[in-house]
Amino acid sequence: MNNSELAQILIRAVEEADSSERLSDAVQELAAAGIEESVPTLIAALGYNNPGAAVAAVDGLIAIGEVAVPPLLELIDDYNYGARAWAIRALAGIGDVRALDTLFEAAKTDFSLSVRRAAARGLGTLRWHQVPPEKVESVQTQVLEALLLISQDPEWVVRYAAVTSLETLAIAIAVTLPDQASRITNQLQQMLDTDTDLGVRTRVRFAQEKIQQQQHQEVFAPKRKLEDTEVPEVPHRGGGRR
C-alpha cells in the first residue's frame, strides 16, 4: 500500500467517524501518518469543536511542515475563532516566514486572546534562514517592534507568550542587531518591575537568565577558541630524559 492509498483510507475514517472519541482517534491516526495529502482534512479538523482532534491535527500539520503553510494561510476561517487559534498554533509550530504577516495581524489585533497568544509565540519560532540575508535585519526589527507592543497586552497569557518570543529574538539578534538588544532587556526589566502577574514575572526572570547565559558564552567564546588553537609548549632543552 502506498502513501496515497493509506491517506485515502485514513481520511475516510475521519469522514465516517460517528462519535467525538472516534473522530479524535481517526484524526490522530491520520496526523501520525504524516502524509501531505492529508493536509486539507487536518485543517478541516481544526474547526470540528473537538479539542483532541484539533491537538492531533496541529501536531500533524507541524510534522508535515512547510508544504502545509500555503493551504493553512488560504483556509484559515476568519469567523471561527477556535479554528483560527489552532491554525495559528500550527503556523507558529512550523515557523515558516510566509506566515509572518498573518502572525503580525493576529498578535496585534485579533479579539481572541488564544489567537493573540498563539501568534505571539509564533513570532519567536520563525526560521530565520528562510529570510534573504539582505532582509534579515529589517524583518527582525519588525518582529521586535511587534513584540514590544504585544508585551503590553492586557491579557497575561499573551504577555507571557511575548516574553518567550522576546527571549528567542534576543538571542537571534545578538549577532545581526546587537544595538537593538538593549531594547529587549529594558522591556523585560520593566515587565519584571511592573507586571501584575506573578507567572509573567517568573517567566521574565527565566528569560533574563537565558539571555545572560548566551551573552556570557559569546564573551568567552573567542578566548576558548584561541586557547584551543594554541601551539603546545615545546619542552626546554635538557628537559627530557637522557
Side-chain angles (χ1 to χ4, degrees), residues 54-85:
V55 169
V58 168
D59 290 343
L61 291 165
I62 292 173
I64 291 171
E66 296 178 8
V67 297
V69 172
L72 266 172
L73 292 173
E74 292 172 6
L75 300 178
I76 287 177
D77 182 1
D78 292 335
Y79 301 100
N80 183 334
Y81 285 95
R84 183 173 178 81

mmCIF file of all heavy atoms in Angstrom, residues 54-85:
data_model
loop_
_atom_site.group_PDB
_atom_site.id
_atom_site.type_symbol
_atom_site.label_atom_id
_atom_site.label_comp_id
_atom_site.label_asym_id
_atom_site.label_seq_id
_atom_site.Cartn_x
_atom_site.Cartn_y
_atom_site.Cartn_z
ATOM 1 N N ALA A 54 -8.306 18.516 17.320
ATOM 2 C CA ALA A 54 -7.561 19.730 16.946
ATOM 3 C C ALA A 54 -6.099 19.630 17.344
ATOM 4 O O ALA A 54 -5.204 19.988 16.564
ATOM 5 C CB ALA A 54 -8.209 20.950 17.588
ATOM 6 N N VAL A 55 -5.829 19.145 18.556
ATOM 7 C CA VAL A 55 -4.440 18.993 19.006
ATOM 8 C C VAL A 55 -3.690 18.045 18.085
ATOM 9 O O VAL A 55 -2.549 18.306 17.668
ATOM 10 C CB VAL A 55 -4.396 18.482 20.458
ATOM 11 C CG1 VAL A 55 -2.980 18.063 20.831
ATOM 12 C CG2 VAL A 55 -4.898 19.549 21.412
ATOM 13 N N ALA A 56 -4.329 16.928 17.743
ATOM 14 C CA ALA A 56 -3.691 15.957 16.851
ATOM 15 C C ALA A 56 -3.452 16.556 15.474
ATOM 16 O O ALA A 56 -2.399 16.346 14.856
ATOM 17 C CB ALA A 56 -4.559 14.702 16.739
ATOM 18 N N ALA A 57 -4.421 17.319 14.980
ATOM 19 C CA ALA A 57 -4.276 17.937 13.661
ATOM 20 C C ALA A 57 -3.131 18.936 13.642
ATOM 21 O O ALA A 57 -2.344 18.987 12.679
ATOM 22 C CB ALA A 57 -5.583 18.617 13.255
ATOM 23 N N VAL A 58 -3.023 19.740 14.697
ATOM 24 C CA VAL A 58 -1.918 20.706 14.791
ATOM 25 C C VAL A 58 -0.582 19.970 14.770
ATOM 26 O O VAL A 58 0.339 20.348 14.032
ATOM 27 C CB VAL A 58 -2.037 21.561 16.069
ATOM 28 C CG1 VAL A 58 -0.748 22.342 16.320
ATOM 29 C CG2 VAL A 58 -3.208 22.525 15.940
ATOM 30 N N ASP A 59 -0.465 18.923 15.572
ATOM 31 C CA ASP A 59 0.787 18.149 15.598
ATOM 32 C C ASP A 59 1.104 17.573 14.222
ATOM 33 O O ASP A 59 2.261 17.568 13.790
ATOM 34 C CB ASP A 59 0.685 17.020 16.629
ATOM 35 C CG ASP A 59 0.672 17.534 18.063
ATOM 36 O OD1 ASP A 59 1.071 18.699 18.271
ATOM 37 O OD2 ASP A 59 0.268 16.776 18.963
ATOM 38 N N GLY A 60 0.065 17.071 13.546
ATOM 39 C CA GLY A 60 0.280 16.500 12.217
ATOM 40 C C GLY A 60 0.720 17.536 11.208
ATOM 41 O O GLY A 60 1.629 17.292 10.395
ATOM 42 N N LEU A 61 0.102 18.714 11.240
ATOM 43 C CA LEU A 61 0.464 19.781 10.306
ATOM 44 C C LEU A 61 1.889 20.269 10.557
ATOM 45 O O LEU A 61 2.642 20.534 9.615
ATOM 46 C CB LEU A 61 -0.529 20.938 10.432
ATOM 47 C CG LEU A 61 -1.940 20.639 9.922
ATOM 48 C CD1 LEU A 61 -2.932 21.686 10.404
ATOM 49 C CD2 LEU A 61 -1.956 20.546 8.396
ATOM 50 N N ILE A 62 2.258 20.380 11.824
ATOM 51 C CA ILE A 62 3.622 20.793 12.151
ATOM 52 C C ILE A 62 4.618 19.765 11.644
ATOM 53 O O ILE A 62 5.676 20.110 11.097
ATOM 54 C CB ILE A 62 3.774 21.001 13.674
ATOM 55 C CG1 ILE A 62 2.963 22.223 14.118
ATOM 56 C CG2 ILE A 62 5.248 21.194 14.049
ATOM 57 C CD1 ILE A 62 2.916 22.418 15.620
ATOM 58 N N ALA A 63 4.293 18.481 11.820
ATOM 59 C CA ALA A 63 5.190 17.417 11.363
ATOM 60 C C ALA A 63 5.332 17.417 9.840
ATOM 61 O O ALA A 63 6.421 17.195 9.307
ATOM 62 C CB ALA A 63 4.676 16.056 11.846
ATOM 63 N N ILE A 64 4.249 17.683 9.146
ATOM 64 C CA ILE A 64 4.305 17.736 7.682
ATOM 65 C C ILE A 64 5.132 18.936 7.237
ATOM 66 O O ILE A 64 5.881 18.863 6.265
ATOM 67 C CB ILE A 64 2.883 17.786 7.100
ATOM 68 C CG1 ILE A 64 2.194 16.426 7.334
ATOM 69 C CG2 ILE A 64 2.904 18.122 5.609
ATOM 70 C CD1 ILE A 64 0.722 16.424 7.004
ATOM 71 N N GLY A 65 4.988 20.050 7.955
ATOM 72 C CA GLY A 65 5.895 21.168 7.748
ATOM 73 C C GLY A 65 5.507 22.157 6.673
ATOM 74 O O GLY A 65 4.332 22.487 6.505
ATOM 75 N N GLU A 66 6.487 22.609 5.931
ATOM 76 C CA GLU A 66 6.349 23.765 5.058
ATOM 77 C C GLU A 66 5.265 23.613 4.002
ATOM 78 O O GLU A 66 4.642 24.601 3.617
ATOM 79 C CB GLU A 66 7.687 24.073 4.387
ATOM 80 C CG GLU A 66 8.780 24.486 5.376
ATOM 81 C CD GLU A 66 10.117 24.732 4.700
ATOM 82 O OE1 GLU A 66 10.156 24.734 3.445
ATOM 83 O OE2 GLU A 66 11.118 24.929 5.407
ATOM 84 N N VAL A 67 5.042 22.388 3.518
ATOM 85 C CA VAL A 67 4.024 22.219 2.471
ATOM 86 C C VAL A 67 2.629 22.520 2.998
ATOM 87 O O VAL A 67 1.701 22.759 2.204
ATOM 88 C CB VAL A 67 4.067 20.795 1.881
ATOM 89 C CG1 VAL A 67 5.391 20.525 1.204
ATOM 90 C CG2 VAL A 67 3.792 19.751 2.957
ATOM 91 N N ALA A 68 2.452 22.504 4.316
ATOM 92 C CA ALA A 68 1.141 22.794 4.889
ATOM 93 C C ALA A 68 0.872 24.284 5.005
ATOM 94 O O ALA A 68 -0.268 24.692 5.261
ATOM 95 C CB ALA A 68 1.019 22.144 6.264
ATOM 96 N N VAL A 69 1.885 25.119 4.813
ATOM 97 C CA VAL A 69 1.728 26.548 5.058
ATOM 98 C C VAL A 69 0.781 27.228 4.075
ATOM 99 O O VAL A 69 -0.151 27.932 4.507
ATOM 100 C CB VAL A 69 3.105 27.252 5.069
ATOM 101 C CG1 VAL A 69 2.942 28.770 5.128
ATOM 102 C CG2 VAL A 69 3.917 26.767 6.260
ATOM 103 N N PRO A 70 0.943 27.081 2.747
ATOM 104 C CA PRO A 70 0.026 27.772 1.834
ATOM 105 C C PRO A 70 -1.441 27.421 2.066
ATOM 106 O O PRO A 70 -2.276 28.341 2.171
ATOM 107 C CB PRO A 70 0.514 27.340 0.445
ATOM 108 C CG PRO A 70 1.962 27.031 0.652
ATOM 109 C CD PRO A 70 2.040 26.406 2.007
ATOM 110 N N PRO A 71 -1.812 26.134 2.165
ATOM 111 C CA PRO A 71 -3.232 25.857 2.426
ATOM 112 C C PRO A 71 -3.698 26.346 3.790
ATOM 113 O O PRO A 71 -4.855 26.745 3.941
ATOM 114 C CB PRO A 71 -3.327 24.328 2.323
ATOM 115 C CG PRO A 71 -1.946 23.812 2.465
ATOM 116 C CD PRO A 71 -1.066 24.877 1.919
ATOM 117 N N LEU A 72 -2.824 26.343 4.772
ATOM 118 C CA LEU A 72 -3.209 26.888 6.075
ATOM 119 C C LEU A 72 -3.532 28.371 5.956
ATOM 120 O O LEU A 72 -4.536 28.850 6.485
ATOM 121 C CB LEU A 72 -2.076 26.690 7.088
ATOM 122 C CG LEU A 72 -2.126 25.456 7.970
ATOM 123 C CD1 LEU A 72 -0.831 25.312 8.766
ATOM 124 C CD2 LEU A 72 -3.327 25.497 8.920
ATOM 125 N N LEU A 73 -2.691 29.101 5.251
ATOM 126 C CA LEU A 73 -2.910 30.530 5.091
ATOM 127 C C LEU A 73 -4.177 30.810 4.279
ATOM 128 O O LEU A 73 -4.881 31.791 4.521
ATOM 129 C CB LEU A 73 -1.700 31.178 4.413
ATOM 130 C CG LEU A 73 -0.411 31.200 5.244
ATOM 131 C CD1 LEU A 73 0.754 31.715 4.409
ATOM 132 C CD2 LEU A 73 -0.592 32.058 6.499
ATOM 133 N N GLU A 74 -4.468 29.944 3.332
ATOM 134 C CA GLU A 74 -5.633 30.146 2.470
ATOM 135 C C GLU A 74 -6.939 29.745 3.152
ATOM 136 O O GLU A 74 -7.988 30.348 2.902
ATOM 137 C CB GLU A 74 -5.481 29.333 1.181
ATOM 138 C CG GLU A 74 -4.374 29.819 0.270
ATOM 139 C CD GLU A 74 -4.119 28.870 -0.896
ATOM 140 O OE1 GLU A 74 -4.903 27.894 -1.022
ATOM 141 O OE2 GLU A 74 -3.173 29.089 -1.663
ATOM 142 N N LEU A 75 -6.875 28.755 4.014
ATOM 143 C CA LEU A 75 -8.104 28.161 4.538
ATOM 144 C C LEU A 75 -8.427 28.542 5.980
ATOM 145 O O LEU A 75 -9.384 28.037 6.546
ATOM 146 C CB LEU A 75 -8.010 26.628 4.425
ATOM 147 C CG LEU A 75 -7.833 26.081 3.005
ATOM 148 C CD1 LEU A 75 -7.702 24.571 3.023
ATOM 149 C CD2 LEU A 75 -9.005 26.486 2.118
ATOM 150 N N ILE A 76 -7.630 29.435 6.561
ATOM 151 C CA ILE A 76 -7.954 29.879 7.920
ATOM 152 C C ILE A 76 -9.335 30.536 7.919
ATOM 153 O O ILE A 76 -9.617 31.421 7.131
ATOM 154 C CB ILE A 76 -6.895 30.875 8.443
ATOM 155 C CG1 ILE A 76 -5.600 30.130 8.779
ATOM 156 C CG2 ILE A 76 -7.410 31.611 9.673
ATOM 157 C CD1 ILE A 76 -4.487 31.048 9.240
ATOM 158 N N ASP A 77 -10.174 30.091 8.825
ATOM 159 C CA ASP A 77 -11.544 30.603 8.906
ATOM 160 C C ASP A 77 -11.581 31.824 9.808
ATOM 161 O O ASP A 77 -11.446 31.726 11.026
ATOM 162 C CB ASP A 77 -12.465 29.497 9.457
ATOM 163 C CG ASP A 77 -13.920 29.944 9.524
ATOM 164 O OD1 ASP A 77 -14.232 31.089 9.142
ATOM 165 O OD2 ASP A 77 -14.749 29.133 9.961
ATOM 166 N N ASP A 78 -11.785 32.995 9.216
ATOM 167 C CA ASP A 78 -11.783 34.232 9.984
ATOM 168 C C ASP A 78 -12.934 34.316 10.987
ATOM 169 O O ASP A 78 -12.899 35.131 11.906
ATOM 170 C CB ASP A 78 -11.855 35.439 9.048
ATOM 171 C CG ASP A 78 -10.579 35.605 8.231
ATOM 172 O OD1 ASP A 78 -9.530 35.140 8.693
ATOM 173 O OD2 ASP A 78 -10.660 36.193 7.152
ATOM 174 N N TYR A 79 -13.972 33.530 10.779
ATOM 175 C CA TYR A 79 -15.151 33.641 11.631
ATOM 176 C C TYR A 79 -15.206 32.563 12.708
ATOM 177 O O TYR A 79 -16.033 32.613 13.600
ATOM 178 C CB TYR A 79 -16.422 33.573 10.766
ATOM 179 C CG TYR A 79 -16.443 34.668 9.731
ATOM 180 C CD1 TYR A 79 -16.086 34.408 8.409
ATOM 181 C CD2 TYR A 79 -16.808 35.964 10.072
ATOM 182 C CE1 TYR A 79 -16.086 35.410 7.460
ATOM 183 C CE2 TYR A 79 -16.815 36.976 9.123
ATOM 184 C CZ TYR A 79 -16.446 36.690 7.822
ATOM 185 O OH TYR A 79 -16.442 37.692 6.899
ATOM 186 N N ASN A 80 -14.352 31.590 12.626
ATOM 187 C CA ASN A 80 -14.308 30.538 13.633
ATOM 188 C C ASN A 80 -13.049 30.748 14.452
ATOM 189 O O ASN A 80 -11.959 30.340 14.062
ATOM 190 C CB ASN A 80 -14.290 29.160 12.938
ATOM 191 C CG ASN A 80 -14.311 28.008 13.926
ATOM 192 O OD1 ASN A 80 -13.878 28.143 15.072
ATOM 193 N ND2 ASN A 80 -14.826 26.877 13.483
ATOM 194 N N TYR A 81 -13.175 31.405 15.590
ATOM 195 C CA TYR A 81 -12.001 31.796 16.356
ATOM 196 C C TYR A 81 -11.296 30.613 16.985
ATOM 197 O O TYR A 81 -10.090 30.653 17.203
ATOM 198 C CB TYR A 81 -12.378 32.844 17.397
ATOM 199 C CG TYR A 81 -12.607 34.189 16.756
ATOM 200 C CD1 TYR A 81 -13.885 34.593 16.395
ATOM 201 C CD2 TYR A 81 -11.537 35.022 16.449
ATOM 202 C CE1 TYR A 81 -14.095 35.810 15.778
ATOM 203 C CE2 TYR A 81 -11.731 36.238 15.829
ATOM 204 C CZ TYR A 81 -13.021 36.634 15.492
ATOM 205 O OH TYR A 81 -13.213 37.841 14.869
ATOM 206 N N GLY A 82 -12.049 29.550 17.263
ATOM 207 C CA GLY A 82 -11.391 28.349 17.765
ATOM 208 C C GLY A 82 -10.478 27.759 16.718
ATOM 209 O O GLY A 82 -9.303 27.460 16.973
ATOM 210 N N ALA A 83 -10.998 27.611 15.497
ATOM 211 C CA ALA A 83 -10.203 27.054 14.406
ATOM 212 C C ALA A 83 -9.030 27.968 14.075
ATOM 213 O O ALA A 83 -7.928 27.496 13.764
ATOM 214 C CB ALA A 83 -11.078 26.850 13.172
ATOM 215 N N ARG A 84 -9.264 29.267 14.114
ATOM 216 C CA ARG A 84 -8.190 30.220 13.800
ATOM 217 C C ARG A 84 -7.052 30.091 14.807
ATOM 218 O O ARG A 84 -5.880 30.127 14.433
ATOM 219 C CB ARG A 84 -8.743 31.647 13.812
ATOM 220 C CG ARG A 84 -7.716 32.696 13.427
ATOM 221 C CD ARG A 84 -8.354 34.058 13.299
ATOM 222 N NE ARG A 84 -7.371 35.067 12.990
ATOM 223 C CZ ARG A 84 -6.889 35.306 11.771
ATOM 224 N NH1 ARG A 84 -7.305 34.565 10.750
ATOM 225 N NH2 ARG A 84 -5.991 36.244 11.568
ATOM 226 N N ALA A 85 -7.397 29.915 16.085
ATOM 227 C CA ALA A 85 -6.361 29.762 17.104
ATOM 228 C C ALA A 85 -5.529 28.515 16.849
ATOM 229 O O ALA A 85 -4.296 28.542 16.963
ATOM 230 C CB ALA A 85 -6.995 29.693 18.486
#
